Amino acid sequence: MTNLLQSFTEGRWFTAADEGTPLASAVDGHEVARISATGLDRAGMVEYARTVGVPALAALTFHERAALLKQLGMTLMAGKEEFYEVSRHTGATTRDSAVDIDGGFGTILSYSSKARRELPNDTVYLDGPTEQLGKKGTFLGQHIYTSRRGVAVQINAFNFPVWGFLEKLAPAFIAGVPSIVKPASQTAYLTELVFRRIIESGILPEGSVQLLCGSAGDLLDHLDGQDSVAFTGSAETAARLRAHPQVVTSGLHFTAEADSLNASILGTDVTIEAPEFDLYVKQLVTEMTVKAGQKCTAIRRAFVPEPLVDDVIAAASARLSTITVGDPASDGVRMGALASIEQRDEVLKSLRGLTKSASIVFGDPDHVDVVGADATKGAFLSPILLRADDKTAPEPHDIEAFGPVSTVIGYRDAADAVELAARGKGSLVASLVTKDAELAGEVVRGLAPYHGRVLVLNNEDARESTGHGSPLPVLVHGGPGRAGGGEELGGIRGVLHHMQRTAVQGTPNVLTSVGRRWVTGADRVQGDVHPFRKNLAELVLGDTIVGGPRQVTRADIDHFAEFTGDTFYAHTDPEAAAANPLFGGIVAHGYLVVSLAAGLFVDPAPGPVLANFGVDGLRFLTPVKADDSLTVTLTAKQITPRQSADYGEVRWDAVVTNQNDDPVATYDVLTLVAKAEED
Ligand code: NDP
């Protein structure tokens, strides 16, 4: 069969031995592709990931992996048109496809950029500062993260065939863990196409990504404690996988993102005339109709102050009546089809459950006008808005109709809204539309324990808002309880989910060697050459320059006050300064101390040091009085070559002490240093 989807396993494309199961277009029912994994050696895939993918990724630093992801993101973005063509068969409009396709590629690019900015150009990530464990400072602790030596299995839902796998793959790749991607069968033809382009690009290292089209089969049987499974889909499948013997016994990392009865709350402060009223209604309709409501983050429960329920229903119905349903390829179509006829049947079943305690106030489950397609062949459904008869009845809080379906529920006050939202038993996202910051504070604090993300929307942030339904690479995506209890994305946290955190205990020299970051107490190297005369290749951790002593005079303090305009009384008014309980007299400005320290450690002539781009962690520890003597010790602490630049970053440990050896100021100086001396 020419349209039988292939898997990419053990470095080659695999074709199943049988004819496979047909996958139908959501729009007109024609066969788009077939799918089968019959004969696939899943144990072989796991073994290949471990023996080929793990070492290939381990050979690259975070920055090198990030550079490959960037290249991949740009390549995929440049060829995205063909993905849009295929995406239409899933029932997606152009707007829906953008969320999936551009959203997926954008996530890769975001991870690439975040990794280059926030991770070292190394394979080990240091978590927090060292902990001193003994009195003399010879015994310290440091938490480190290293890549797990296993495979990240990603089992995805049908609704986001592109974003769904890339949002899981990107953090795993940065973490140095190879992926096995298993798309939901229903829309796997789009995942397979994107994956094909990824493999053709030749950008990713051998073994770092594999694709399994068809049943997962015995895949989980071959995983162990270094591996992970990230699942998105139904609560039933999540429960089944959670109980899998390997998940229960091997300690493999299992996370799930399942059902979610997300809430959107209209604040009690909002009147029908307020712009926030329109924002609320517009957002509700958007979330019902984008991807035909097949979004794990879509609004299922619309909480509205009791007096405004009728007005919200009227306004939402008016907007919903303008939504044209039909073939995404036809002009003017705002909502496409559900992913399949079976999926529509599931939604109708859920709807029957919901109507036990809610009434339909917009839409007809049995009829929808369809543009550009045969309504009997595609998986079309009208948007359906319900009104809860009883706000505490279980159905609206329990049943997730995974389609263009929402229920409006009246509430009394802020506490009532929070309590009702919590009846969802844990959700991915809630939104609150209000212009009252006090109210927002109260409601968000109440919602937070039950939600992974909370959006507060009003007229001030609406233009820039990314919306209720959009997970962002830099923010947590996941939710407690019923939402699955997992956490994805969230910037670098998403990367660290794939790494092992280890507390290392030892001497400062040992911790310097492990983390490749100089630790206080480790050896310092003081040679004839000033460290500022060394380029990045010549510099070593521990290279030190000691400058001073330099006496601070009262004239220095007066001059600095006058020159900068910082005439704060502690530097200028002896009587007032004497009354200050911390100083007991005139003290030098902290910034004067730091400026004098720079004067003591710099080597002024042009050389490899190109710029000072800031200081980190500046603390003033002991007041400096007139006639105190300052000494500065500057030590190379961390050396980070930049990936595609002819310079890198050097972090210097700076300690300023007085004549009694008391530390006066501590901080890190950040500089850019040339990789090699120019000819
Ligand atoms: P499923 O849970 O049936 O499938 C999700 C993924 O799990 C698919 O890739 C599926 O593969 C795979 N899978 C199924 N059984 C197993 C197994 N035994 N071992 C390993 N993998 C398995 O969800 P659907 O995608 O069919 O969606 C069903 C319902 O789930 C929706 O109607 C909706 O209610 C809910 N859903 C919720 C989402 C959310 O995030 N809140 C997202 C998507 C769906 P295959 O397709 O090959 O069976």
Side-chain angles (χ1 to χ4, degrees):
M1 295 292 300
T2 49
N3 65 348
L4 183 61
L5 299 182
Q6 291 182 299
S7 292
F8 187 76
T9 77
E10 301 182 53
R12 65 194 163 77
W13 288 98
F14 165 88
T15 311
D18 57 8
E19 290 199 337
T21 309
L23 302 174
S25 160
V27 180
D28 58 18
H30 87 271
E31 184 179 309
V32 182
R34 285 176 168 254
I35 191 162
S36 169
T38 303
L40 187 63
D41 176 9
R42 296 164 181 87
M45 291 178 86
V46 173
E47 186 60 15
Y48 193 74
R50 286 184 187 143
T51 54
V52 179
V54 166
L57 286 169
L60 303 173
T61 64
F62 293 119
H63 288 200
E64 287 167 337
R65 294 173 204 148
L68 296 181
L69 268 197
K70 181 174 179 186
Q71 209 187 332
L72 181 68
M74 308 287 268
T75 305
L76 292 173
M77 204 62 109
K80 68 180 180 182
E81 292 313 321
E82 64 169 332
F83 307 136
Y84 273 77
E85 283 294 307
V86 174
S87 180
R88 278 177 28 213
H89 298 311
T90 72
T93 62
T94 305
R95 178 175 66 157
D96 299 340
S97 298
V99 176
D100 188 29
I101 296 168
D102 292 70
F105 303 160
T107 300
I108 299 188
L109 293 172
S110 168
Y111 261 96
S112 167
S113 131
K114 240 185 154 27
R116 278 175 283 131
R117 278 183 285 120
E118 294 176 32
L119 294 175
N121 196 2
D122 202 329
T123 54
V124 174
Y125 176 76
L126 303 183
D127 183 34
T130 52
E131 295 285 342
Q132 188 162 332
L133 304 173
K135 278 203 174 120
K136 293 193 171 144
T138 62
F139 186 56
L140 307 178
Q142 168 77 62
H143 287 102
I144 66 167
Y145 277 94
T146 51
S147 308
R148 287 204 288 263
R149 311 285 293 180
V151 58
V153 170
Q154 295 146 13
I155 302 178
N156 294 310
F158 65 83
N159 53 340
F160 286 106
V162 183
W163 176 84
F165 88 92
L166 292 176
E167 65 100 10
K168 290 186 169 78
L169 189 149
F173 186 85
I174 295 287
V177 176
S179 296
I180 293 179
V181 174
K182 193 227 144 338
S185 295
Q186 232 167 95
T187 52
Y189 46 86
L190 179 52
T191 312
E192 196 238 37
L193 179 65
V194 176
F195 212 91
R196 199 169 278 286
R197 299 297 173 249
I198 291 177
I199 298 305
E200 284 167 3
S201 76
I203 293 168
L204 301 190
E206 179 85 38
S208 60
V209 291
Q210 297 181 79
L211 175 71
L212 195 171
C213 285
S215 160
D218 63 358
L219 179 63
L220 267 62
D221 295 349
H222 308 291
L223 304 181
D224 69 25
Q226 289 288 306
D227 304 315
S228 64
V229 175
F231 169 83
T232 303
S234 66
E236 297 80 57
T237 311
R240 200 168 337 129
L241 295 182
R242 235 185 254 285
H244 188 284
Q246 277 308 99
V247 176
V248 175
T249 60
S250 76
L252 77 84
H253 303 256
F254 180 83
T255 55
E257 200 233 289
D259 297 4
S260 189
L261 276 301
N262 311 296
S264 181
I265 302 170
L266 180 65
T268 43
D269 60 307
V270 179
T271 60
I272 189 167
E273 296 81 22
E276 281 74 18
F277 184 89
D278 287 336
L279 285 174
Y280 181 83
V281 170
K282 198 171 162 200
Q283 174 173 267
L284 173 61
V285 170
T286 301
E287 291 300 318
M288 287 177 71
T289 54
V290 169
K291 296 276 310 172
Q294 299 168 108
K295 274 194 333 186
C296 48
T297 51
I299 298 169
R300 305 290 171 209
R301 297 177 297 157
F303 292 108
V304 175
E306 275 151 8
L308 288 186
V309 166
D310 288 335
D311 296 314
V312 166
I313 288 175
S317 301
R319 269 189 183 271
L320 286 168
S321 63
T322 66
I323 301 288
T324 309
V325 179
D327 181 345
S330 298
D331 281 348
V333 166
R334 298 267 306 279
M335 188 174 103
L338 300 190
S340 66
I341 301 278
E342 295 74 31
Q343 205 50 47
R344 187 180 61 186
D345 291 345
E346 279 295 318
V347 174
L348 292 174
K349 194 170 125 200
S350 299
L351 198 53
R352 283 193 290 279
L354 284 170
T355 50
K356 281 187 191 154
S357 63
S359 323
I360 294 176
V361 290
F362 180 89
D364 179 351
D366 302 318
H367 175 77
V368 59
D369 291 325
V370 169
V371 171
D374 181 344
T376 61
K377 291 194 174 148
F380 297 101
L381 180 67
S382 161
I384 308 275
L385 189 66
L386 298 105
R387 174 193 189 130
D389 302 331
D390 169 5
K391 66 183 177 184
T392 58
E395 288 81 10
H397 307 291
D398 272 356
I399 300 174
E400 185 195 37
F402 204 66
V405 180
S406 292
T407 306
V408 177
I409 305 168
Y411 76 89
R412 199 181 53 247
D413 54 23
D416 194 31
V418 167
E419 195 274 323
L420 289 168
R423 286 181 183 239
K425 300 189 187 77
S427 305
L428 294 171
V429 54
S431 55
L432 168 67
V433 182
T434 178
K435 55 181 184 308
D436 181 341
E438 282 291 316
L439 176 71
E442 181 188 345
V443 174
V444 171
R445 282 162 186 255
L447 293 174
Y450 300 93
H451 294 86
R453 180 165 61 85
V454 180
L455 160 74
V456 181
L457 185 69
N458 57 36
N459 207 29
E460 242 178 87
D461 63 5
R463 273 174 180 275
E464 286 196 73
S465 166
T466 47
H468 170 104
S470 304
L472 299 176
V474 295
L475 299 184
V476 160
H477 176 54
R482 180 172 174 158
E487 192 188 278
E488 294 177 340
L489 300 176
I492 295 307
R493 276 183 71 122
V495 174
L496 299 180
H497 291 322
H498 294 276
M499 303 182 78
Q500 177 61 40
R501 188 172 188 237
T502 305
V504 183
Q505 296 169 278
T507 65
N509 277 331
V510 168
L511 296 188
T512 297
S513 165
V514 171
R516 295 193 192 113
R517 185 168 73 181
W518 184 88
V519 168
T520 301
D523 293 342
R524 287 189 160 104
V525 187
Q526 269 181 276
D528 298 338
V529 182
H530 190 292
F532 277 24
R533 304 241 58 86
K534 294 185 179 181
N535 63 38
L536 218 59
E538 293 161 343
L539 207 58
V540 293
L541 293 181
D543 270 346
T544 298
I545 172 79
V546 178
R550 199 278 195 203
Q551 199 172 53
V552 184
T553 64
R554 179 64 200 273
D556 288 333
I557 300 171
D558 291 346
H559 173 66
F560 195 78
E562 191 200 336
F563 174 58
T564 62
D566 179 352
T567 54
F568 186 62
Y569 75 90
H571 314 303
T572 52
D573 181 343
E575 219 170 291
N580 180 308
L582 298 178
F583 300 143
I586 293 283
V587 292
H589 305 68
Y591 301 121
L592 171 58
V593 171
V594 171
S595 304
L596 292 175
L600 295 175
F601 67 62
V602 289
D603 181 82
V609 177
L610 305 173
N612 170 359
F613 71 98
V615 294
D616 267 359
L618 175 60
R619 287 288 175 280
F620 299 122
L621 303 169
T622 312
V624 174
K625 305 234 161 134
D627 300 331
D628 280 358
S629 278
L630 302 181
T631 300
V632 61
T633 305
L634 190 80
T635 307
K637 185 172 190 176
Q638 195 169 27
I639 302 168
T640 308
R642 280 208 184 158
Q643 206 48 41
S644 41
D646 47 12
Y647 56 85
E649 293 168 20
V650 179
R651 175 181 289 269
W652 306 84
D653 180 87
V655 185
V656 184
T657 49
N658 63 18
Q659 62 284 357
N660 304 319
D661 274 343
D662 297 326
V664 163
T666 56
Y667 49 104
D668 285 357
V669 177
L670 309 171
T671 59
L672 298 178
V673 176
K675 282 182 176 168
E677 202 77 70
E678 287 195 15
D679 290 337

